[in-house]
């Protein structure tokens, strides 16, 4: 699903018109509509194929517009970023975790904002003999005599082994490196010391800061300037990975230079995905060169050199990932408005806040159908282990498309087809997985059909089928530690839409387990497993993920910033008094973005991972796992589905997990964990590694202490005659989504509300617009939409 510079012609006329100026917006829009109508699907596809061919050719001879890196500059960068030459670096020892933690150091030679371009590393104690303080190569400070932070170099024990909690075996040279990608809401992350979360697993844990969309800096004349545009977040994460890899090669740090796993949540999940998808892409080299990253330079002929030479041996230095675990990745934003509008619009009973929003959703849904159908997507049933076409086997390759037929698909507002069949199959499969793993539930209280709590003996005797029936009938109360879910940047899910129209008993605001109404209100203070160090306002409620993988908390978005309002708003825009004014802003903003940045790149294209998956100019990860809350409202489930399709098409082992009752950035549940994923993939893809299987469940033998059931009865909604093969309809699936995913208003700037845009909005100034698709709809349907805009209807 390569969409490199896809459909660029669709808004060419729009951009031209907006460059002329605001002027006569109505006449400019008419011109744009007329020009756009002349662009056929055939010409778009031809253009897409041509640009992809050009990209492939150019990638093989990628060149820089920057001056060549001199030998002196190169030597200076490599000397400065060699930890052995750093006179300020210190190491602290955590006795409880048996881990050494490096102080924050700057990861680049020419940092623009040092507080956000640093890196810290946590190393399992088993790999370290101690700290050499006098340069003789022998440890002077060990875990036994450590008293306070100490300057010096690690003395690494390359013979030592660590066996993870799942039975995988690692050494100081084979240990996976976990890169925590912050960038919550695509914003800056202050440098933070690495968490000890994964020390017992034998992993090297890396925390890095990053610049982001809310950043400003001061130039040499004292003038403040904005510097937060994409791809700053990603560039700083790539630079940090080069720094750590370089020092591993130098022998300053333990760890593998190959087995890197990116992970993060929300905006961090987006960057974990993009970090993996854009591995070693030259599109990002100029940005890294500008900040003085190690191992990326410009040759005299303008080509790039991504090597370092150590003791006469030349090594290629990667800036990518072997694998990724992305929690609620808010990407790709390119199609996100359309995808979420489409998901909401398929719920024929959804009550939009305004008629304007409903019409926007309708038109964006049409655009999404055309967009998907232009991609010529397909998926092998065997790759996803799903019988998508319902023929009783998984032997087929399914061509994926969206159909529109008002009569045939009346219960989903006319939309159906194999693409949404795949979506439904994933939903059903993920619910089935949840039901099949209920034996891992710990501390739940189970009830009989009369509402009485079961005895310990009755709970111990429950079969898997008994638990499935009890779950579907709502006869349970979860333990507080297993409720799952968390609030993303700017807050958790709201109470949202009133009722699940068409869902169980017509109401699913509580969701399964009563957990869909909300998640913890912010990201602060919810991780009790990780020690807070510097940057105490940064946290991550997912107890299985390092504390510093989420980035800084912040106030963003709805309802006071940007055009999109909160779920209950009846106002279409807080910043524009007229439709004409809003349209002019869209035209101007989109034109500015698509003019390109100082390197000639369009940031929307740079931040679309679908452009890079399978691209010959880079390398793909070996595997990726994307964990989303099925009831989250920050992005459509279609986005992770599209990513899975793209990765699978490129030969990547790609899995998506839509947690049945999970909110935004859900916790790991029912026996799963990041460590289990990493250890399993290591066993699968590394020669000689241990083959890992999930440990058997320790079935519950004591009932919980809840006094009443809090589960939602979904028995009228789900067919569970056979508990090993439950089912429900597409209409019910999208009703489930709209019931829980009403954080932002669908069909109108879903992503332009200050959280996932590249530039903040505020109560007086809107976030910068960049969606060509929204602009296309605003222009082509101006006459109708203008009448509805802020009409109170």
């Amino acid at each position: 699903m390569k969409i490199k510079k896809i459909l660029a012609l669709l808004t060419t006329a729009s951009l031209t018109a907006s460059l002329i100026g605001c002027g006569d917006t109505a006449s400019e829009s008419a011109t744009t509509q007329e020009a756009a109508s002349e662009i056929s699907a055939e010409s778009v596809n031809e253009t897409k194929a041509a640009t992809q061919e050009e990209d492939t050719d150019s990638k093989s001879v990628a060149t820089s517009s920057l001056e060549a890196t001199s030998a002196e500059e190169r030597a200076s960068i490599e000397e400065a970023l060699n930890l052995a030459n750093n006179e300020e670096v210190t190491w602290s020892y955590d006795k409880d975790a048996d881990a050494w933690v490096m102080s924050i150091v700057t990861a680049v030679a020419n940092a623009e904002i040092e507080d956000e371009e640093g890196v810290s590393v946590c190393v399992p104690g088993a790999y370290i003999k101690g700290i050499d303080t006098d340069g003789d190569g022998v440890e002077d400070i060990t875990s036994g005599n450590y008293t306070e932070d100490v300057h010096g170099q690690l003395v690494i024990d390359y013979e030592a082994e660590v066996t993870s909690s799942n039975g995988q075996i690692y050494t100081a040279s084979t240990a996976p490196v976990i890169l925590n990608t912050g960038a919550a809401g695509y914003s800056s992350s202050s440098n933070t010391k690495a968490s000890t979360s994964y020390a017992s697993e034998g992993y090297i844990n890396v925390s890095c800061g990053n610049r982001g969309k809310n950043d400003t800096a001061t130039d040499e004349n004292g003038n403040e300037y904005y510097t937060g545009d994409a791809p700053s977040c990603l560039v700083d994460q790539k630079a940090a990975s080069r720094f750590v890899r370089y020092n591993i090669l130098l022998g300053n740090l333990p760890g593998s230079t190959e087995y890197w796993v990116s992970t993060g949540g929300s905006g961090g999940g987006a960057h974990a995905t993009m970090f993996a998808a854009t591995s070693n892409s030259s599109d990002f080299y100029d940005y890294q060169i500008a900040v003085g990253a190690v191992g990326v330079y410009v040759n005299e002929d303008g080509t790039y050199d991504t090597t370092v030479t150590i003791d006469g041996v030349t090594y290629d230095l990667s800036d990518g990932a072997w694998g990724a675990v992305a929690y609620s990745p808010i990407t790709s934003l390119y199609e996100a408005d359309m995808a979420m509008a489409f998901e909401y619009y398929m719920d024929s009973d959804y009550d939009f806040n305004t008629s304007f929003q409903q019409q926007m959703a309708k038109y964006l849904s049409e655009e999404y159908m055309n967009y998907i159908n232009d991609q010529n997507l397909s998926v092998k049933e065997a790759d996803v282990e799903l019988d998508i076409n319902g023929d009783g086997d998984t032997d087929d390759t399914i061509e994926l498309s969206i159909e529109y037929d008002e009569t045939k698909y009346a219960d989903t507002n006319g939309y159906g087809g194999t693409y949404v069949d795949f979506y439904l199959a994933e939903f059903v499969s993920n619910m089935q997985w949840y039901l099949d793993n209920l034996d891992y539930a710990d501390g739940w209280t189970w009830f009989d059909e009369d509402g009485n709590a079961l005895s310990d003996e009755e709970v111990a005797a429950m079969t898997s089928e008994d638990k499935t029936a009890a779950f579907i009938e709502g006869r349970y109360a979860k333990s507080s530690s297993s409720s799952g879910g968390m609030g993303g940047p700017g807050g958790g899910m709201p109470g949202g839409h009133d009722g699940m129209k068409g869902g169980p008993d017509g109401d699913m605001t509580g969701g399964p387990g009563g957990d869909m109404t909300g998640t913890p209100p912010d990201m602060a203070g919810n991780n009790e497993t990780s020690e807070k160090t510097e940057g105490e306002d940064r946290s991550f409620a997912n107890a299985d993920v390092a504390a510093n993988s989420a980035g800084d908390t912040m106030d963003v978005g709805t309802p006071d910033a940007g055009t999109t309002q909160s779920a209950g708003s009846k106002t279409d825009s807080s910043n524009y008094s007229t439709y004409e004014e809003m349209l002019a802003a869209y035209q101007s903003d989109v034109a500015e973005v698509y003019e390109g940045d100082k390197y000639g790149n369009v940031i929307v294209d740079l931040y679309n991972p679908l452009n890079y998956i399978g691209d010959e100019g880079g390398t793909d990860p070996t595997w990726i796992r994307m964990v989303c809350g099925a009831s989250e409202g920050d992005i459509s489930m279609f986005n992770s589905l599209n990513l899975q399709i793209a990765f699978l098409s490129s030969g990547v082992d790609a899995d998506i997990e839509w947690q049945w009752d999970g909110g935004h950035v859900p916790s790991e549940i029912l026996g799963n964990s990041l460590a289990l994923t990493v250890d399993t993939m290591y066993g699968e893809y590394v020669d000689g590694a241990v083959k890992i299987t999930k440990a058997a469940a320790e079935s519950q033998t004591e009932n919980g202490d809840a006094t009443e059931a809090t589960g939602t009865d979904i028995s009228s909604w789900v067919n569970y005659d056979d508990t090993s093969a439950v089912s429900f309809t597409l209409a019910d699936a999208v009703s489930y989504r709209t019931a829980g995913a009403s954080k932002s208003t669908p069909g109108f700037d879903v992503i332009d509300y200050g959280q996932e845009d590249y530039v903040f909005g505020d109560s007086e100034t809107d976030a910068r617009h960049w969606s060509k698709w929204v602009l296309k709809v605003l222009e082509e349907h101006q006459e109708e939409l203008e009448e509805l805009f802020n009409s109170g209807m």
Side-chain angles (χ1 to χ4, degrees):
M1 186 174 174
K2 293 165 63 178
I3 317 179
K4 196 73 168 176
K5 298 179 182 176
I6 178 178
L7 305 182
L9 288 179
L10 282 176
T11 53
T12 300
S14 167
L15 304 188
T16 303
S18 58
L19 284 171
I20 295 172
C22 297
D24 184 352
T25 307
S27 62
E28 290 172 9
S29 179
T31 302
T32 301
Q33 293 174 34
E34 182 179 351
S37 67
E38 296 175 357
I39 302 174
S40 66
E42 182 179 359
S43 66
V44 168
N45 288 331
E46 289 176 354
T47 301
K48 182 176 69 172
T51 56
Q52 287 180 344
E53 184 176 351
E54 290 174 7
D55 288 334
T56 300
D57 292 341
S58 65
K59 287 293 183 181
S60 62
V61 290
T63 58
S64 174
S65 60
L66 300 176
E67 293 183 1
T69 309
S70 68
E72 292 77 15
E73 288 174 314
R74 181 170 179 151
S76 176
I77 290 171
E78 294 181 7
E79 180 180 2
L81 300 183
N82 182 340
L83 275 173
N85 300 325
N86 191 314
E87 297 181 356
E88 297 181 358
V89 64
T90 60
W91 290 91
S92 59
Y93 179 70
D94 186 316
K95 182 178 180 180
D96 292 336
D98 184 22
W100 290 92
V101 180
M102 186 181 79
S103 61
I104 297 166
V105 299
T106 304
V108 293
N110 307 316
E112 182 180 42
I113 304 176
E114 287 191 3
D115 289 343
E116 297 171 358
E117 293 174 87
V119 65
S120 174
V121 180
C122 174
V123 178
Y127 300 148
I128 305 303
K129 296 179 181 179
I131 309 297
D132 172 18
T133 61
D134 56 13
D136 64 358
V138 179
E139 62 273 17
D140 301 300
I141 301 297
T142 68
S143 60
N145 63 12
Y146 170 83
T147 57
E148 59 184 2
D149 294 3
V150 58
H151 171 72
Q153 298 300 307
L154 296 178
V155 180
I156 301 171
D157 184 354
Y158 289 100
E159 302 300 320
E161 294 183 346
V162 174
T163 301
S164 75
S165 60
N166 300 298
Q168 195 57 266
I169 300 172
Y170 301 110
T171 68
S173 59
T174 65
V177 179
I178 310 300
L179 177 71
N180 296 283
T181 50
Y186 288 64
S187 295
S188 61
S189 294
S190 302
N191 303 330
T192 303
K193 290 184 72 172
S195 165
T196 60
S197 297
Y198 302 125
S200 63
E201 302 292 348
Y203 308 156
I204 310 301
N205 196 39
V206 176
S207 170
C208 61
N210 63 260
R211 294 165 296 164
K213 69 182 181 185
N214 52 328
D215 269 334
T216 59
T218 303
D219 64 22
E220 57 186 10
N221 297 319
N223 299 315
E224 188 176 58
Y225 63 95
Y226 170 71
T227 182
D229 265 343
S232 296
C233 299
L234 188 55
V235 165
D236 291 341
Q237 292 160 4
K238 286 176 175 289
S241 77
R242 288 185 181 277
F243 174 89
V244 175
R245 281 180 160 110
Y246 175 55
N247 280 282
I248 290 173
L249 291 173
L250 287 167
N252 296 327
L253 295 171
S256 168
T257 58
E258 180 179 358
Y259 304 123
W260 277 59
V261 179
S262 54
T263 188
S266 191
H271 283 80
T273 303
M274 291 188 289
F275 183 88
T278 63
S279 296
N280 304 312
S281 171
S282 60
D283 282 2
F284 301 88
Y285 287 170
D286 282 351
Y287 303 92
Q288 295 183 60
I289 291 168
V291 295
V294 66
V296 54
Y297 312 109
V298 182
N299 295 319
E300 290 292 339
D301 62 358
T303 58
Y304 295 103
D305 181 0
T306 56
T307 65
V308 292
T309 300
I310 299 172
D311 295 333
V313 180
T314 299
Y315 302 89
D316 191 60
L317 207 60
S318 171
D319 66 11
W322 168 67
V325 183
Y327 297 90
S328 295
I330 307 177
T331 186
S332 158
L333 303 186
Y334 179 80
E335 80 276 16
D337 285 300
M338 294 185 294
M340 187 173 277
F342 180 66
E343 197 167 33
Y344 276 73
Y345 191 72
M346 279 198 297
D347 179 4
S348 59
D349 293 317
Y350 186 77
D351 184 18
F352 286 89
N353 293 322
T354 70
S355 297
F356 175 86
Q357 293 163 9
Q358 183 171 4
Q359 287 302 107
M360 284 294 297
K362 175 182 177 181
Y363 293 132
L364 283 171
S365 296
E366 294 175 6
E367 296 297 338
Y368 191 66
M369 176 179 67
N370 295 330
Y371 165 83
I372 289 298
N373 291 343
D374 281 341
Q375 308 311 309
N376 299 316
L377 304 177
S378 65
V379 67
K380 295 180 180 178
E381 290 180 317
D383 285 346
V384 291
E385 300 180 352
L386 296 173
D387 179 12
I388 299 170
N389 60 8
D391 66 354
D393 61 50
T394 57
D395 300 333
D396 306 307
T397 296
I398 306 299
E399 303 296 326
L400 301 175
S401 63
I402 302 174
E403 301 174 6
Y404 183 80
D405 187 318
E406 291 185 39
T407 302
K408 185 177 181 181
Y409 306 116
D411 59 348
T412 51
N413 266 337
Y415 286 104
T418 52
Y419 177 79
V420 291
D421 288 344
F422 181 29
Y423 167 88
L424 176 60
E426 284 282 13
F427 247 113
V428 173
S429 174
N430 278 277
M431 172 180 261
Q432 187 67 57
W433 178 90
Y434 194 105
L435 299 173
D436 291 344
N437 284 270
L438 285 173
D439 282 340
Y440 289 92
D442 182 31
W444 289 26
T445 308
W446 300 92
F447 297 83
D448 63 21
E449 295 179 356
D450 296 322
N452 302 308
L454 300 179
S455 67
D456 292 345
E457 292 76 13
E458 289 172 319
V459 167
M462 289 182 78
T463 65
S464 297
E465 290 77 12
D466 292 336
K467 290 179 180 177
T468 295
F471 181 86
I472 291 174
E473 293 165 9
R475 296 187 284 105
Y476 63 91
K478 291 185 177 183
S479 64
S480 58
S481 63
S482 63
S483 58
M486 68 165 282
M493 287 167 41
H497 196 51
D498 38 312
M500 178 174 176
K501 305 295 194 299
D505 301 327
D507 184 2
M508 197 163 180
T509 53
D515 289 313
M516 277 177 61
T517 52
T519 50
D522 56 47
M523 297 174 66
N526 291 317
N527 184 0
E528 298 178 356
T529 65
S530 302
E531 179 183 354
K532 290 285 193 73
T533 51
E534 299 178 34
E536 291 189 355
D537 59 346
R538 179 194 285 186
S539 63
F540 200 63
N542 187 336
D544 194 67
V545 179
N548 47 21
S549 69
D552 293 327
T553 60
M554 58 188 178
D555 295 324
V556 294
T558 56
D560 296 325
T563 56
T564 299
Q565 301 303 289
S566 58
S569 175
K570 299 296 183 183
T571 303
D572 296 314
S573 174
S574 62
N575 293 312
Y576 305 116
S577 57
T578 67
Y579 184 93
E580 184 179 57
E581 180 186 358
M582 181 186 68
L583 178 59
Y586 258 92
Q587 291 172 328
S588 176
D589 285 353
V590 172
E592 177 187 345
V593 168
Y594 278 85
E595 282 181 352
D597 64 9
K598 62 183 178 181
Y599 298 114
N601 297 315
V602 175
I603 59 176
V604 178
D605 292 339
L606 289 176
Y607 259 36
N608 184 350
L610 299 174
N611 283 344
Y612 294 94
I613 299 168
D615 184 32
E616 294 180 6
T619 56
D620 289 320
T622 299
W623 59 270
I624 185 170
R625 174 173 171 244
M626 293 167 279
V627 184
C628 305
S631 59
E632 68 172 83
D634 284 57
I635 203 164
S636 168
M637 293 294 101
F638 286 118
N639 287 85
S640 52
L641 189 76
N642 292 344
L643 286 165
Q644 184 187 35
I645 295 168
F647 278 119
L648 289 173
S649 296
S650 298
V652 177
D653 184 344
D655 183 53
I656 52 178
E657 178 182 326
W658 294 344
Q659 286 188 10
W660 169 245
D661 56 357
H664 187 54
V665 192
S667 297
E668 295 279 6
I669 56 171
L670 301 178
N672 276 3
S673 68
L674 181 143
L676 177 62
T677 301
V678 173
D679 291 350
T680 300
M681 293 298 101
Y682 194 88
E684 180 72 18
Y685 292 106
V686 178
D687 290 342
V690 179
K691 300 296 181 183
I692 301 297
T693 56
K694 187 175 179 178
E698 296 182 8
S699 193
Q700 190 173 340
T701 58
E702 295 183 7
N703 207 11
D705 56 8
T707 57
E708 60 181 356
T710 57
T712 299
D713 184 353
I714 59 175
S715 59
S716 64
W717 183 53
V718 176
N719 182 339
Y720 63 114
D721 292 340
D722 179 358
T723 57
S724 66
V726 300
S727 63
F728 45 88
T729 68
L730 176 63
D732 287 334
V734 294
S735 292
Y736 170 84
R737 285 287 298 143
T738 61
S742 51
K743 176 176 180 178
S744 52
T745 302
F748 177 62
D749 283 359
V750 173
I751 304 301
D752 279 356
Y753 65 103
Q755 179 169 322
E756 283 86 41
D757 193 13
Y758 304 116
V759 179
F760 270 127
D762 55 40
S763 60
E764 297 179 354
T765 305
D766 197 15
R768 184 178 61 195
H769 309 292
W770 49 265
S771 174
K772 297 191 296 184
W773 301 103
V774 172
L775 176 57
K776 182 173 183 285
V777 167
L778 292 175
E779 290 183 327
E780 291 185 353
H781 303 281
Q782 178 176 356
E783 184 175 348
E784 177 184 4
L785 292 172
E786 191 165 12
E787 290 184 5
L788 299 175
F789 183 69
N790 281 343
S791 65
M793 298 172 61

